[in-house]
Amino acid sequence: MAQETDLLFAVLGLQMNFLTKDQVVECGALWASNRKKSLKTILNEKGYLKPAARMALEALVKAQIEEFGAAERSLAALPVDDDVRRSLLALPLPDKVKGTLLEFKPGAKKPAPDAVETVVMTRSERDRYRLGAEIGRGGLGRVVAGQDTILGREVAIKEMLPGSGDAGVVKRFLREGEVAGRLMHPNIVPVFDVGVREDAGKRTPYFAMGFIHGRDLKDVLRDVESAKGNARKEFNRPMLLRVFQDVCLAVSYAHDHGVVHRDLKPANVMVGKYGEVYVVDWGLAKVMGQKDDPSSTLVVPAGKDAAPCDSNAPMLTMEGTVLGTPAYMPPEQADGRIAEIDEKSDIYSLGSILYEILTFRPPFEGATGLNVIAKVLTGNLTPPSQKVSEIRQARKDAAGTAGGSGVRTPPPMTNGGEFPESVPPELESIVMKAMAMEKGARHASARDLHDDVQRFLEGEKQREYNHQMALAKVEAGKILVEQMEKLRKDLEAARKEAEEKGKDVKPHWPVEKKAEFWTIQEKVKALRRQGVEKFTEAGNTLQAALTFERKNPEARAALADLYWNQYVREEEAGDEAEMIHYESLVREYNDGQYDDRLKGNGSLTVSTKQFPCRCLTEGRTVKPDEMEVMGYHPLSGRALDGHKGAEGLPDLEQKEPIRLKVHGAECRAEPLAGADVWLLRFIEDRKVLVPRFPDGVNPEGAVHGEIPSAILDRLYDPGSPFRPKDGLYLGKTPVSKFAVPMGSYLLII
């Protein structure tokens, strides 16, 4: 108070022309450097005041304080030269004194007592803050963009709406600024000033905060879920977890300074344009050790002023009722046990934020706040992983029912995976611990919760490194497989060349004449050896990928392909022992793609065509030179040997055209539907294969049908054990993808 009285003494001296501006500035500098002496004493020691002037000023100071009630109010009512004010502000004065200098405005009169008067001294800030557009509004106040004209910086001004409440509500409003103002942390929005703005006779409580260029976490999660713009790339899961960690650090700092937020939720987390993270809205904060003032209880409007769905709205704050936002509050808070709310209550709410980051849904949802509170009190929390599965299934169901209705379903992950992403067990464990019903089972502190997430991220970083290393090994393995395939093609070509040259080699030839053949043989051996080496190297490289990531799907698929192709080669070679070996390897790395082939299942598709021409019934005129091009006997189907001596073939030397039952090059087959199709499976009966109804074939959609006797007579001897009823009638062509197991079959069309 003495500092403000000294300032009042000096300002009155200026007004009465007892002092000059230079004298006040000079003594003000001395005063700032030596706090043991008062400004009045320094002015006297300098000899700038005569005794009569000093006595007159002391009487004026006393009269001013009696008139306005305090030195601060007297100063606010006195006109001060701007040059003097700026000069004094440049001195290293205490913050409180500087604040008083900033408040100098001429012409103020003693204010009449009102609701504001009971809370805070009158402060006229009309000239300091220039108000701009409104950027947010709540039940009691609004936030507008502003400009601090003294310091030239952007600010956000939160001010009460006219008629929002009595003195108690004003106190609650200003208390938010005071509580936040004491918390100086990078993740808490700084509060620069708290006061009352007077304009046109109206007095509006406000506080000035740092201006945030960004949006709240609720909006961020909404954009990520709907894949708006680059949201999923900009805010992937690791980035969202780092945002959450910053929130934990801010809350941990507040707890260390005795402040509990009591309304933590995604909407109260701001994410700046450059990655800044801030915890905002400390209006429901509790200072530990202080009892909540019932007169400053924040009440949410009911009835027509209430939100349509109040599950996210703050509830009553009086003792014995709920306080905060139902969807994110702990059970002790939902049950109205306000006295039990402490740091562990904030930890529960932090767990709720993490839950929504992982699932894009609040932990509990309902039509009204009371519905949500009832769910919170049961403690029946759906684990995040289960919630994600339910959301995915709901999306699939919605996509299936929407069909062509134009209903937009959220797109999948950009990397081709499902959305939301699966929840790792480590993260689910963190959420469930933070949101435990009993406070004692939750994390010991917000910092512990932060550290748990950090341990997960560090493990995730190692997992990501391992994943990238595994992919690199898979890529190298695929290159080796390509090289192996090329070697096998070269081997096949060299083997054929060796066979051709070997036909002409005679045992009695001299060594020099056999050298070329031996060179080809050595080439075959070298290529065979190189192929085996590449096969082994490819397998080892793909196996190495699994040492980095045990269940890497790309590596497992590549290994299954590698061993399946080798199995097929061994099957062609008839090596049963090697077939068994490679089949076991395929089974080890098969993730489903080889299920049918390992079971031997296949599918049968039958289509029929017809030639609209009548060449095969009526014949067509063919010139002798055309028959040479054809190169086969048109009636018996046997290949011709130089077009000479074929049974029944006219002399090719004749010059006259002949008529044959054969298609020409211009004949084209056209699709034909409606041919009857029967399927029979060959079954071994006393070392004889006989056709029977195909056991194991899925007969769905197929019926038994009698095969015409004319067909049977032509195909089977009357003494055959075949019976028509054993045939499976597949219907009429076309027959599409009819499932059949491994075996040998007879198809009758």
Side-chain angles (χ1 to χ4, degrees):
M1 186 67 72
Q3 294 171 333
E4 283 79 0
T5 303
D6 271 0
L7 279 176
L8 180 59
F9 184 93
V11 171
L12 287 172
L14 281 170
Q15 287 186 322
M16 300 300 294
N17 292 321
F18 292 155
L19 296 168
T20 67
K21 180 170 55 177
D22 291 337
Q23 289 172 341
V24 171
V25 171
E26 177 191 351
C27 292
L30 294 172
W31 179 45
S33 63
N34 186 2
R35 301 293 173 82
K36 295 181 179 180
K37 293 184 178 181
S38 67
L39 179 57
K40 181 172 65 173
T41 300
I42 295 172
L43 288 168
N44 285 331
E45 290 178 349
K46 284 287 185 179
Y48 293 149
L49 282 173
K50 295 179 180 179
R54 184 177 70 250
M55 292 177 61
L57 286 177
E58 288 175 347
L60 283 173
V61 168
K62 183 178 180 180
Q64 284 282 332
I65 292 175
E66 289 177 354
E67 174 68 17
F68 288 95
E72 296 94 327
R73 297 184 184 181
S74 298
L75 282 169
L78 293 174
V80 179
D81 185 277
D82 285 339
D83 289 340
V84 174
R85 181 174 59 173
R86 281 193 291 269
S87 298
L88 291 175
L89 284 171
L91 299 175
L93 299 174
D95 292 341
K96 187 176 181 180
V97 178
K98 279 193 173 183
T100 301
L101 287 171
L102 288 172
E103 296 156 13
F104 280 173
K105 298 293 181 298
K109 296 182 179 180
K110 183 178 180 180
D114 58 11
V116 174
E117 181 74 19
T118 64
V119 178
V120 67
M121 62 184 179
T122 302
R123 300 170 63 189
S124 178
E125 291 291 348
R126 184 185 309 162
D127 295 334
R128 180 174 184 183
Y129 297 112
R130 185 179 299 116
L131 303 187
E134 182 176 310
I135 55 179
R137 179 179 288 254
L140 294 177
R142 66 171 188 155
V143 180
V144 298
Q147 182 75 21
D148 185 336
T149 59
I150 299 296
L151 299 177
R153 61 184 173 188
E154 282 186 294
V155 293
I157 305 293
K158 186 170 184 178
E159 61 179 18
M160 282 191 65
L161 295 173
S164 297
D166 57 12
V169 179
V170 173
K171 185 175 181 179
R172 163 69 74 178
F173 178 85
L174 292 175
R175 181 175 174 277
E176 175 185 353
E178 293 168 359
V179 171
R182 73 174 66 179
L183 300 175
M184 302 299 293
H185 188 272
N187 300 120
I188 298 176
V189 179
V191 174
F192 305 133
D193 195 11
V194 178
V196 178
R197 181 172 57 82
E198 186 172 348
D199 188 14
K202 295 181 179 180
R203 313 177 74 192
T204 306
Y206 75 93
F207 53 89
M209 309 173 289
F211 189 91
I212 305 171
H213 291 275
R215 49 195 171 145
D216 65 55
L217 182 58
K218 189 78 173 178
D219 286 340
V220 169
L221 294 176
R222 188 180 298 116
D223 288 348
V224 173
E225 182 181 17
S226 62
K228 183 178 180 181
N230 293 324
R232 289 189 180 175
K233 182 178 180 181
E234 184 180 359
F235 292 100
N236 56 26
R237 176 174 285 175
M239 179 60 187
L240 290 173
L241 291 177
R242 292 186 185 98
V243 169
F244 176 74
Q245 284 186 293
D246 286 343
V247 175
C248 290
L249 291 176
V251 174
S252 177
Y253 174 87
H255 289 174
D256 288 345
H257 287 75
V259 178
V260 178
H261 191 283
R262 296 199 292 192
D263 195 22
L264 293 169
K265 56 186 177 181
N268 283 343
V269 175
M270 296 296 295
V271 182
K273 182 179 179 181
Y274 302 102
E276 318 95 296
V277 178
Y278 299 103
V279 177
V280 300
D281 202 346
W282 296 82
L284 301 184
K286 175 181 181 179
V287 179
M288 300 303 293
Q290 296 181 10
K291 187 175 181 180
D292 285 311
D293 185 356
S295 68
S296 62
T297 295
L298 177 63
V299 180
V300 173
K304 62 184 180 65
D305 296 324
C309 176
D310 59 352
S311 62
N312 289 333
M315 305 296 284
L316 301 179
T317 64
M318 293 183 294
E319 197 73 23
T321 64
V322 292
L323 168 73
T325 305
Y328 306 95
M329 63 173 57
E332 64 270 17
Q333 197 166 339
D335 203 25
R337 305 193 301 272
I338 305 302
E340 297 182 22
I341 296 176
D342 57 14
E343 294 86 350
K344 292 292 188 77
S345 305
D346 274 354
I347 290 173
Y348 183 99
S349 298
L350 287 171
S352 299
I353 295 175
L354 181 56
Y355 188 102
E356 189 158 344
I357 286 174
L358 299 176
T359 67
F360 299 90
R361 296 288 186 279
F364 299 98
E365 297 179 280
T368 67
L370 294 178
N371 293 150
V372 177
I373 288 172
K375 294 180 179 180
V376 172
L377 293 176
T378 65
N380 294 327
L381 176 65
T382 302
S385 58
Q386 181 181 335
K387 175 67 75 172
V388 165
S389 298
E390 292 173 358
I391 294 171
R392 287 180 180 174
Q393 188 58 49
R395 290 186 190 283
K396 292 177 182 178
D397 294 343
T401 56
S405 63
V407 177
R408 183 182 181 274
T409 57
M413 295 293 289
T414 53
N415 63 3
E418 290 187 283
F419 184 86
E421 296 178 74
S422 299
V423 178
E426 303 95 321
L427 280 180
E428 181 159 298
S429 176
I430 293 172
V431 171
M432 301 304 284
K433 180 178 180 180
M435 298 185 67
M437 285 287 288
E438 298 297 328
K439 291 197 297 183
R442 299 170 196 164
H443 292 81
S445 66
R447 186 55 188 252
D448 285 346
L449 177 54
H450 165 280
D451 293 346
D452 258 5
V453 175
Q454 182 62 30
R455 281 186 285 272
F456 168 79
L457 286 172
E458 289 172 355
E460 191 72 4
K461 186 176 181 180
Q462 183 63 45
R463 283 189 289 272
E464 178 61 23
Y465 170 80
N466 290 344
H467 178 67
Q468 295 302 325
M469 291 298 295
L471 292 182
K473 289 293 184 182
V474 170
E475 190 62 29
K478 289 181 177 179
I479 292 174
L480 291 170
V481 170
E482 291 177 0
Q483 295 173 351
M484 177 194 71
E485 294 298 334
K486 184 179 183 304
L487 284 171
R488 283 177 169 167
K489 290 180 180 179
D490 294 344
L491 173 61
E492 186 61 27
R495 187 181 290 132
K496 289 181 179 180
E497 183 180 3
E499 289 178 358
E500 290 298 320
K501 290 188 177 296
K503 293 178 182 178
D504 299 329
V505 174
K506 306 299 181 184
H508 59 275
W509 280 4
V511 172
E512 294 79 7
K513 200 171 182 180
K514 296 178 181 179
E516 185 178 358
F517 172 65
W518 290 342
T519 300
I520 295 296
Q521 283 186 319
E522 290 300 321
K523 182 179 180 181
V524 170
K525 291 180 181 179
L527 288 172
R528 185 183 294 112
R529 183 177 61 254
Q530 292 172 25
V532 172
E533 290 172 351
K534 284 293 179 186
F535 175 83
T536 304
E537 186 179 0
N540 290 341
T541 302
L542 294 173
Q543 291 282 359
L546 296 180
T547 64
F548 286 103
E549 191 174 31
R550 185 169 59 88
K551 294 184 178 181
N552 182 274
E554 291 86 354
R556 290 178 60 83
L559 282 166
D561 291 342
L562 178 70
Y563 295 135
W564 175 260
N565 291 333
Q566 189 62 29
Y567 168 83
V568 172
R569 291 188 180 92
E570 301 300 343
E571 184 180 38
E572 292 172 351
D575 192 330
E576 187 174 355
E578 288 298 304
M579 286 173 59
I580 294 172
H581 171 66
Y582 287 110
E583 180 184 353
S584 66
L585 290 174
V586 173
R587 291 184 184 279
E588 181 178 350
Y589 298 107
N590 170 49
D591 289 330
Q593 67 270 40
Y594 285 101
D595 284 354
D596 285 340
R597 277 177 277 190
L598 287 169
K599 292 176 183 176
N601 293 341
S603 63
L604 172 67
T605 296
V606 183
S607 62
T608 48
K609 297 183 178 182
Q610 68 173 349
F611 283 87
C613 61
R614 302 185 63 81
C615 296
L616 298 185
T617 56
E618 299 177 359
R620 63 192 300 271
T621 301
V622 180
K623 296 179 181 179
D625 54 349
E626 289 181 304
M627 294 191 66
E628 292 185 29
V629 175
M630 294 176 186
Y632 65 90
H633 194 295
L635 300 181
S636 68
R638 291 177 297 175
L640 301 180
D641 184 12
H643 302 285
K644 296 291 185 179
E647 181 181 356
L649 186 67
D651 185 3
L652 293 181
E653 298 300 326
Q654 66 181 5
K655 302 301 182 183
E656 295 297 325
I658 59 175
R659 195 168 186 84
L660 295 176
K661 293 181 179 180
V662 63
H663 287 301
E666 70 280 5
C667 296
R668 293 289 183 270
E670 298 177 352
L672 171 68
D676 292 299
V677 181
W678 289 269
L679 181 69
L680 300 98
R681 183 173 185 173
F682 284 109
I683 306 298
E684 184 177 324
D685 183 4
R686 289 174 292 183
K687 302 299 182 181
V688 177
L689 290 177
V690 294
R692 288 284 186 269
F693 179 85
D695 296 333
V697 174
N698 177 16
E700 183 178 352
V703 297
H704 290 77
E706 293 293 331
I707 300 177
S709 59
I711 297 178
L712 299 179
D713 292 343
R714 272 184 283 158
L715 292 176
Y716 298 101
D717 184 274
S720 168
F722 168 74
R723 296 184 301 276
K725 66 178 181 180
D726 292 327
L728 179 64
Y729 181 63
L730 302 186
K732 297 181 179 295
T733 55
V735 175
S736 179
K737 295 185 178 179
F738 189 82
V740 291
M742 182 183 294
S744 299
Y745 293 88
L746 170 66
L747 189 66
I748 301 176
I749 303 174

